[in-house]
Amino acid sequence: MLDKFPRVPLAHLPTPLEHLPRLSAELGGPQIYVKRDDCTGLATGGNKTRKLEYSMAAALTEGADTVVTVGAVQSNHVRQTAAAACKLGLKCEVLLEHRVTDPTDNYLNSGNVLLDRIFGANLREYPGGTDFDAEMEKVAEEVRAGGGTPYIIPGGASNEVGALGYVNCAIELLGQIEEQALDVTDIVTATGSAGTQAGLIVGLKAMGSSIPLLGIGVNAPEDEQEEKVFNLACETAEYIGQPGCVAREDVVANCDYVGDGYGVPTDSMNEAVLMLARSEGLLFDPVYSGKALAGMIDLIRNGTLGRDNIVFLHTGGAAALFAYADQLEL
Ligand SMILES: *Cc1c(COP(=O)(O)O)cnc(C)c1O
C-alpha cells in the first residue's frame, strides 16, 4: 500500500508490543499492552521518527539541503527533526513557539531544547499565536536567498506525507496482534497535531480492521480535534489511493484530560507518570503520553474502557521530563 512512497530508514522497526501485567493487575480491568513507539531509536525516540521517514525522504527527493520546521520550546518533533537532519547531512531551521506562560529555567533550557542545541539546529524564537505558515515561508525565502534549497515540514510532521508513518504503524501493529493471537478491543493514543491518529485510522480501515481507535487530546477542544484528525485522515486516504476508507464516526477524540492547557501539568498526568514508572519501569512525558495515559486510566476506572485487551500506543516524549523537573510532584 505504501511501496510507491519514498522512505528513508530512521526508526528501529518494528517497535515491540508488550504486555503490562503489573499495571493491568493494579487497575483490575482489561489487560493492557503497550506499543513501544517510544523506542523508535532516534535521539531518545518517539512518534515523529516514523513520520520523518517519509517527510525527510520527500525533502531529499526534492533536492533540499535545509529543512524548516516549527514546534513548542519542548517539542519532541523538533528534537527528532534536528537529529534526522544531522543523520542525513541536512541543515535544520527551527521556529520555536513560546506556548507556555511563565516557563521555568528548565523548561527554557533543558529536555528537548537542550538536545536541539546539541544537534546544532538553528533556533529562532517566536511568541505564542504567531502565524507560523507565513513565518516558515519567510524563513524558506531567506534560505533560498542564501543559495539553499528549503523543504518545509509542518508542525508535528502532520500532513499526508508524515501521516504515512502511522499508516505504516497500523499495518505493523495489526501484524503483531495477529502474531500474538490477541483479541484487541481498543487502541488508545495521544492526539495533538493529528498525524498519528489520522495515519493510524487510515491504516486500520484500509486494512479492513474494525478495532476502535481513541485519541486523547492534549490541546484543542473535542470538536476541533476530531475535525482536524478527520480532515487529515481524508487527505491521507486520498494520497494512498484509498479515498473514503475513513468515516467521520471512526474519528473519536476525548479532550477531557487537557487540564489548564497545552503543556500545563495536571494532577492526573502526574499520577499516571509515577504509576507507570513504579509499576512497569516505563517513562512517559508530561505534555502528551502522560496526559493520554491519565485519560486511559480514568476511563478504565470509570468503566468506559472496560473491555478485554487495550493497546496503548506509547508516542514517547520522556526527554521532556527533565524540562518539567520542578513541576512534577514526587
Ligand atoms: C507529537 C506527539 C504526540 C502527538 O502526535 P500528533 O501526531 O502530533 O497528534 C504524542 N506524543 C508525543 C510524545 C509527541 O511528541
Side-chain angles (χ1 to χ4, degrees), residues 28 71 75 164 249 251 294:
S75 167
L164 295 177
E249 60 268 24
V251 175

Side-chain angles (χ1 to χ4, degrees), residues 47-48 51 76-77 80 156 158 190-197 218 225 285 288-289 315-317:
N47 63 337
K48 303 314 178 305
K51 301 177 176 187
N76 300 298
H77 161 69
Q80 289 163 82
S158 282
T191 184
S193 65
T196 301
Q197 190 179 358
V218 297
Q225 187 66 25
D285 82 280
Y288 294 96
S289 58
T315 45

Side-chain angles (χ1 to χ4, degrees), residues 48-130:
K48 303 314 178 305
T49 301
R50 281 189 194 267
K51 301 177 176 187
L52 289 166
E53 292 200 315
Y54 291 96
S55 309
M56 285 296 193
L60 294 172
T61 305
E62 291 190 17
D65 59 12
T66 306
V67 288
V68 179
T69 199
V70 61
V73 175
Q74 285 299 328
S75 167
N76 300 298
H77 161 69
V78 167
R79 180 245 311 154
Q80 289 163 82
T81 305
C86 291
K87 187 171 163 69
L88 299 171
L90 302 175
K91 293 191 201 106
C92 187
E93 294 287 342
V94 172
L95 292 80
L96 280 187
E97 179 180 12
H98 283 271
R99 263 194 233 173
V100 165
T101 44
D102 296 327
T104 63
D105 185 53
N106 275 327
Y107 185 88
L108 294 173
N109 294 296
S110 185
N112 284 303
V113 75
L114 169 66
L115 302 183
D116 299 343
R117 290 179 185 135
I118 289 175
F119 290 122
N122 189 30
L123 306 179
R124 305 159 185 251
E125 313 212 7
Y126 297 79
T130 298

